[in-house]
Amino acid sequence: MQDHKKVLVIGSGPIVIGQAAEFDYSGTQACQTLREAGCEVMLMNSNPATIMTDPSTADHIYIEAMTLEKATAIIQRERPTHLLATVGGQTALNLALSLEEAGVLDQYQVELLGTSLETIRDGEDRERFKQRMLELNQPLPTSQTIETLAELEEFMETCGVPLVIRPAFTLGGTGGGIAKTKAEARLLAANGLQASPISQCLVEASIAGYKEVEYEVMRDAFDTTIIVCNMENIDPVGVHTGDSVVFAPIQSISDQMNQQLRTAAREIVSALGVVGGCNIQFAIHPTEQTYYVIEVNPRVSRSSALASKATGYPIAKLATRLALGERLDDCINPVTKETMASFEPTMDYVTAKVPCFPFDLFPESDRSLGTQMKATGESMAMGKTLEEALQKAWRGAGVEQAPLYPTWMKQADTTVLWEEVEQITDRRLLALLALLDRKETTSQQIVELTQIQPLFITILERLLTIQDTLDLTSEESLLTAKRHGFTDQQIAGVLGVSVESVQGQRQGFGIAPAFQMIDTCAAEFSSPTPYFYGSWSGRTEVTPSNHKKVAVLGAGPIRIGQGIEFDYCSVHAVRALQHSGYETIMINNNPETVSTDFEVADRLYVEPLTIEDVVHVLEAENCQDVLVQFGGQTAIALAAELEQRGYHLLGTTADTIDEMENRERFYQFLDRLDIAHIPGQEVTNEEELNAVIMQLGYPLMIRPSYVIGGKGMHRLKTATDLEALLPELAFPILVDAYIEGKEFEVDCISDGTMTYVPIIMEQIEAAGVHSGDSTMILPPVSATQALQDEIEAIAQAIGQQLAYKGAFNIQFVVKDQSLYVLEINPRASRTLPIVAKVTGQPLLEWAVQAASGQRVHALPAKRTSLPFHAVKTPVFSTLKLRHVDPMTGPVMRSTGETLQWTPNGLAKERFAHDETTKTLLTTRTLHIAGKGTEGWTEAVPLDDGTDFDQCRVFFSISEDEQAQRALALTKGAVVITEQHLAQYFDSVEEIDMLPVKPLAEWTTRKELIQ
């Protein structure tokens, strides 16, 4: 290789189900490692919410659409010598393959770092993978690669059903699934061929019911191979590993089988020529000592992030060093600073991962789990027992335990609980707990029905036994409960006493949590890395310092309404506090994120973000100051209880937070300032609701307080809508008039003396579409200077009167030249990272300085003036969630976002944000218009014979067209359900895409762009 390496790193683009924050973590580690090695680093990633696209991560940041055209332009401009594509998930791999197939890598003499493209094809191309495994004599299920439905029919004639459809080169199992009938197989295969970039699927005889395990492997170019970690799904084969509860290390296989799989894993990565990290999935026969190879991911993956955080071994960092040609036995383990990276990590604890699903936002969705991933994020926890780790991970994911399973399951009919089990939903384990608690089944019956290993059913039984034998007067009983993951609150619920009495009794017995270090070596070697987890066994390894310190609360698992943007905010909060001389303590339980990298904060605790778990950490660290405003709604929700227990919230008080989140108090606050808001009031019963409706009239918005992602919000057009909704309503609720105007939004920084409004954002879609699902233009294109000045003045007036320091967000709506405040979010918002990147200003650093009580002298007096516009585009994963309507409204549906640059607010990349969408929009010609959209664009009317295979865009606003919208999405069409967005689509049709420019050029531009 050349002495000076210019490396282009390809990121993973927007967060979607199947490809989330884990690639921000791996990509950020890779960029840092490359720069430490003396490389000049260029980064391509369209996601503006990530640390990866922060100016500090790489030398040249390109926030551009993830298309072949844009990647080629970056290579033409920057002339990199090397390309790293194995840290950006499936998106990066597919883009690297496209670059090679187009001849771009050869033309510009760009060499791939690490795992070769041929190896990637061997892992991702289903037919090539099958042939390589057969060459190695590795057992595979009976299968056939198909490219047509006729080939499917031939396979079914021989093997019948059930069978599994696995599309090639897709992420999160997109387009695949298990077919129990031939009709299901034909439908799945058609979808899978559509989803696969190479129109190829592997069809295999179903091995559903086999035990599924994973091995995370590292290999260098000199064939040194180690197993970093192995993991076991509680759910057998048939449920995507991203949707299953997982334990690390493997718990229920024999040592003989473990050694057999270790050997197989080493042989596979060696034969494939993997350099760096690799994930291999195996299926083990339920009762026999035989196995199958399921698949190989020749890159770092979701499981790599989990394995990294579970063991402390930084896979992406070391994989990057291996890609640069280093040897495993020459790399020092960054955790111990003493042992070599070729030493396999050892764990003296158990790690549990619990997936986090979006079903609470979408009660109409299909909760059944299969081979296509549905989880948006995950919670991780460590413990000394399986039960402790599992319970901690459950509560970290927000799963209700009252005391062991949700309240509704106590009254639910037995048949309802059995449906959760038989359909394999996300609530299956909890339903099994409820059934066992009622003595409606036995462990043997459960094992026979579910194929879950007996060990895991024993765990459930043990939890119930501990619950049934709890004795508050017995030290042994109380200690046993704590060591098996029961919180004081759970124990109080079981015994019908107060939490305080449990806490007092526990402390009287001297029972306290111990915090121990994650060091990759089970304490065999000393380790300076302050990376801790809590349990109730052993001695604590935490010695609190006397430095001034702040605990930063993270946001927990990625979920719709609370995504990677809060990890960005948390990491920047830590950095800013460190710059101000504070020792930082990070508390978070998301294994995918940069914030849970042990090199970010001075001390890292992987613990659930519940009041009890957080307070235990604060007590261990003797820390009184807590920063909650950068951890989203999860952290904000703990504010009141933290303050009640004597902790100091930086920048705000619990009462101020409540004043903004409680809609009744919020409107009273605005009335005191004589600031207009939407007419509405809180109601506590149906009678009050009817009275307010009589006063306001339809249409209306109904919402609870303290919402995330618009959960519980409804737009009512008629009394019929209200009648259908009444059974679901939980009072008190706020009833607002619905004003169909234009929305604007601002993120503000206030230090108590001055409030700065960096930029104003304009929402393309009409009010009523959740801001997270809207297209935002920064700065506005349609607002007059006078309106922008009025928005800024109101924001500054609110900042002056609000007892709040730090970052907060305000949303406005304009109708008939009247400006109303919609809501104030007393925390950093979803858009703050975008505003920081577009303006090029250190907004997070200023916000933290303000929150910590400093006067921020650098705050500008007036908002930023830019000679260009940026467009924030929401990206959806609706295709993964059956029965969820893609029609936008008050409940947020998007999982991620991209950013585009434009001279006039019009960005073609808004609809062509990756290679798939760009190809669709350039190869298809058909526009289809549903009911009520006939005048929107030149389009053919929707009818029973509509062919969505040739459809570019489906315009649909009718509620009874949900089935057609779902079909259009399946066929790859863009679905537009809002008039203003349709008009925007028409406007961008005739413009060209802009040339690529690095982020630094945008943020330092003075002249108008052309």
Side-chain angles (χ1 to χ4, degrees), residues 543-610:
T543 303
S545 73
N546 294 320
H547 303 141
K548 63 177 184 177
K549 61 185 72 171
V550 175
V552 178
L553 301 192
I558 300 292
R559 61 193 73 192
I560 291 177
Q562 186 168 283
I564 196 173
E565 63 276 359
F566 294 110
D567 191 62
Y568 176 94
C569 292
S570 297
V571 171
H572 271 281
V574 165
R575 291 175 179 172
L577 287 165
Q578 289 169 334
H579 291 160
S580 295
Y582 288 93
E583 179 181 291
T584 54
I585 299 159
M586 170 59 68
I587 309 174
N588 201 2
N589 65 335
N590 188 336
E592 303 175 340
T593 56
V594 178
S595 67
T596 50
D597 182 341
F598 62 79
E599 293 184 326
V600 170
D602 296 294
R603 297 192 174 212
L604 168 65
Y605 288 81
V606 174
E607 290 292 289
L609 290 163
T610 69

Side-chain angles (χ1 to χ4, degrees), residues 715 765 769 885-889 933 936 954-958 965 974-982:
R715 185 169 64 186
E765 293 85 349
V769 174
D885 192 345
M887 179 178 281
T888 51
T933 70
W936 283 14
F954 177 35
F955 302 101
S956 174
I957 58 172
S958 174
R965 286 191 287 271
V974 174
V975 176
I976 295 178
T977 64
E978 203 277 336
Q979 182 170 358
H980 298 83
L981 186 60

Side-chain angles (χ1 to χ4, degrees), residues 797-816:
I798 289 171
Q800 290 298 107
Q801 296 299 317
L802 196 62
Y804 185 94
K805 297 177 182 178
F808 62 98
N809 170 272
I810 311 176
Q811 294 174 26
F812 301 84
V813 64
V814 177
K815 179 70 180 292
D816 298 332

